DNA sequence: ATGGGTGTTGGCAGCGCTGCCAATGCGTGC
DNA sequence: GCACGCATTGGCAGCGCTGCCAACACCCAT
């Protein structure tokens, strides 16, 4: 079968077949204006019989306002972002909008490009993650007329709507928890904090809280790449080789922490007696491990949902902090 | 700041500012046709100075062919689908296309709706998962003129392009592996196989292979909901309560299997001596566990990438089997 | 009978771009 | 000197729909 010149049906075909005007068909399809029950039924029947699918490209152009929302996430490898997407897509769907996605690989330039190409679709809103963006991005967004939602971080200035939690506060809470349990020789295993700015903020918050208690990180191990279970596993191994006397380790997130946990189990390192572990995100895998990981549960799906809702609501700019929950677990 | 009537720039504004015709600006923006280097530079400069973003809605309507591809996945909870999306989105991006996504929650009716609403955007292609769809879906797709790619399963008839692996063959290989290792009292822990038809095919293939060796499943436990680590953990617990003498368990996928593994570790059940475990998908978490899970590695990212490539290539319908790799691991 | 609602319907401009065609200027070959 | 080809450019119809306005039929109150 060839792929060209498809004789696609148009509104006027339906109008002709139903013996009504185009406007009437349009009204029926959009459930707007008043149309008699009889006419409505007839048009519906013709639409179904011919299998007509309205062309939303044309509709959008004419109506000057698209039912599309662009979403740019830094990664799809960490389940955090699919969770966010899930919340957003579900809510958008409910409101009759469609999600267009882009993956930036934690690259600001890539994000800028993706935002630009999404704006070409004149989306009703653009949803991005974090508050730090390349120079051009805010300007482009502002002059587009689209609502903008920044997700997952409330530590800083937003462009329009911000929905997330405080990475700083979460890290501080983590530090206080470890200190409260008596841990003093604390290390850190993380990934590229220059690209993942939220992880960077957590590290900064964690260190600041340690400092307030007269402590400092004993050692740190940074993986040059995105977070992963493997990176956490290897990272902890290297960290312990350099600083064997640690009594606790703070990880940049749960992926890393689960890797660390696996390393300890494999090596027979007693948790939490010999070494305590603390993560971030509250992933299923962390919460259901034989020893539930001490971590911070973030309301990712809710953030996506609320972000989508606010993006399409006609409300003023605002910052919404959805908070987090510290899960004590059994590893710290 | 109000959100209405944004004085968006149009092609004609750029043309006027640059002192050229609209066609020339259009040619510059699309790198098509011949334009003198001098004019090209001038137009580019004006576009940059004014921050003009072409309206792709209008462009698409005029050119009758959109640079959009619709992707419908059943879930985002299982990392398998984000992986698929990642492969697809990356490749689409490379080819200058945009991905519009929908999540069907393993519901055929929902899938049908999502497909319909995507077709309203006149996508160049639609990518969906599996070969089983609601009655209306294939008809709609066929009459849309869009290329169709069905992913993750090659066991059956496809509509157009099919990219995946054989769930049946993978399950048979799993069964042979367990049998070859001497396991005979085999159980199954799975999730709703009526909705996740690929998991259903694996179960059928597994049982068929057992039968060929004169064996049958000793017991099975089905969770009434999507797969998850928690479901696998609880499922194995219930299964063992009913059938304590099992020597191996086949899981519907790695999420379930990891849950089972966690259950065994928590309960001190020796793996694989007392009980062998076998999963499906080859997730990171399974491969990096203290005892790597015996599982089947599926090329999900590659499937997404290849599916996107073929969807936009001008080639005839075809089925591409990207195979799978059996990972022996340490749990079976 | 008249005027003015009310519900229903059709006509048509125009959304911002692209594709096609015509117009122009200029160099070449005979 | 003339016809022709080529590179470059501009004009404009039209993609399929929506929004606006006018038209019409009917009903009710006056």
């Amino acid at each position: 079968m060839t792929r060209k010149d498809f004789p696609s049906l148009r509104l006027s075909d339906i109008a002709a077949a139903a013996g009504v005007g185009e406007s009437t068909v349009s009204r029926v399809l959009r459930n707007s204006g008043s149309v008699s029950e009889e006419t409505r039924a007839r048009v519906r029947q013709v639409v179904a019989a011919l299998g007509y699918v309205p062309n939303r490209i044309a509709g959008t152009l004419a109506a000057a306002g698209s039912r599309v929302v662009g979403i740019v996430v830094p990664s799809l490898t960490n389940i955090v972002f699919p969770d966010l997407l899930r919340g957003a897509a579900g809510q958008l769907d409910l409101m009759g909008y469609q999600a267009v996605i882009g993956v930036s690989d934690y690259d600001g330039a890539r994000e800028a490009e993706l935002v630009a190409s999404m704006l070409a679709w004149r989306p009703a809103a653009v949803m991005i993650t974090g508050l730090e963006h390349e120079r051009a991005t805010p300007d482009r967004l502002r002059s587009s007329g689209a609502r903008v939602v920044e997700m997952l971080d409330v530590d800083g200035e937003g462009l329009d709507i911000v929905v997330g939690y405080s990475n700083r506060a979460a890290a501080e809470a983590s530090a206080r928890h470890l200190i409260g349990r008596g841990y003093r020789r604390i290390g850190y295993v993380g990934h590229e904090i220059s690209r993942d700015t939220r992880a960077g903020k957590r590290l900064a918050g964690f260190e600041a809280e340690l400092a307030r208690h007269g402590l400092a990180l004993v050692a740190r191990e940074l993986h040059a790449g995105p977070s992963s279970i493997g990176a956490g596993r290897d990272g902890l191994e290297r960290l312990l080789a350099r600083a064997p006397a640690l009594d606790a380790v703070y990880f940049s997130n749960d992926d890393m922490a689960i890797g660390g946990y696996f390393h300890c189990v494999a090596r027979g390192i007693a948790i939490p007696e010999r070494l305590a572990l603390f993560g971030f995100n509250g992933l299923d895998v962390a919460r259901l491990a034989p020893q539930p990981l001490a971590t911070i549960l973030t309301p990712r799906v809710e953030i996506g949902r609320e972000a989508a809702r606010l993006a399409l609501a006609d409300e003023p700019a605002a910052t919404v902090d959805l908070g987090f929950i510290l899960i004590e677990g059994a590893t710290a």
Side-chain angles (χ1 to χ4, degrees), chain A residues 49-224:
Chain A
L50 301 185
Y52 169 68
V53 178
N55 184 333
R56 244 199 283 226
I57 303 272
T60 298
L61 181 61
S66 93
R67 298 287 242 177
V68 163
V69 170
I71 307 181
V72 180
V73 292
S75 151
L76 284 175
T77 308
N78 186 331
I79 193 72
V80 163
F81 301 106
D83 279 348
L84 201 61
L85 233 44
R86 186 153 56 92
Q91 179 66 31
L92 290 177
D93 201 80
L94 233 53
M95 305 176 81
Y97 284 71
Q98 209 98 55
V100 178
I101 67 157
V103 183
S104 72
D105 286 321
Y106 281 109
D107 179 341
R110 204 68 210 85
E111 183 187 68
E113 284 174 26
L114 287 167
V115 164
S117 78
M118 286 181 171
L119 289 179
W121 287 98
R122 300 293 186 268
V126 174
M127 303 170 65
I128 54 185
T129 56
L131 299 169
E132 286 74 32
H133 312 288
E134 200 160 81
R135 192 60 164 288
T137 307
D139 296 341
R140 277 192 195 138
L141 286 169
R142 237 184 314 254
S143 64
S144 74
R147 291 302 309 244
V148 179
V149 192
E150 292 164 286
M151 302 178 289
L152 296 184
D153 191 3
V154 302
D155 299 325
E157 280 298 301
L159 293 168
D160 182 4
I161 298 167
V162 177
V163 184
Y165 47 80
S166 168
N167 284 277
R168 190 185 35 66
E172 288 170 359
S174 306
R176 278 195 300 276
H177 181 79
L178 287 173
I179 294 169
R181 291 283 168 112
Y183 300 104
R184 291 295 179 273
R185 299 188 306 281
I186 305 175
Y188 174 79
V189 173
H191 58 285
E192 1 171 53
I193 48 178
S194 56
R195 287 154 74 94
D196 185 344
T197 60
R198 290 175 296 288
K201 290 180 179 183
R202 291 196 294 275
L203 175 54
F206 190 86
E207 292 195 283
E209 187 66 18
L210 286 186
R212 269 176 225 119
H213 293 261
L215 296 172
L217 282 179
V218 174
R220 60 166 74 183
E221 180 68 33
L222 287 172
H223 168 68

Side-chain angles (χ1 to χ4, degrees), chain A residues 8 30 32 37 61 109 122 124 138 163 193 205 217 219 223-224 234-235 245-246 278 291 293 301 314 317 328 331:
Chain A
S8 177
R30 285 175 298 131
S32 75
E37 207 39 66
L61 181 61
R122 300 293 186 268
V163 184
I193 48 178
L217 282 179
H223 168 68
D234 299 348
L246 293 178
F278 205 106
Q291 295 182 78
L293 187 67
V301 179
D314 194 21
E328 302 212 347
T331 64

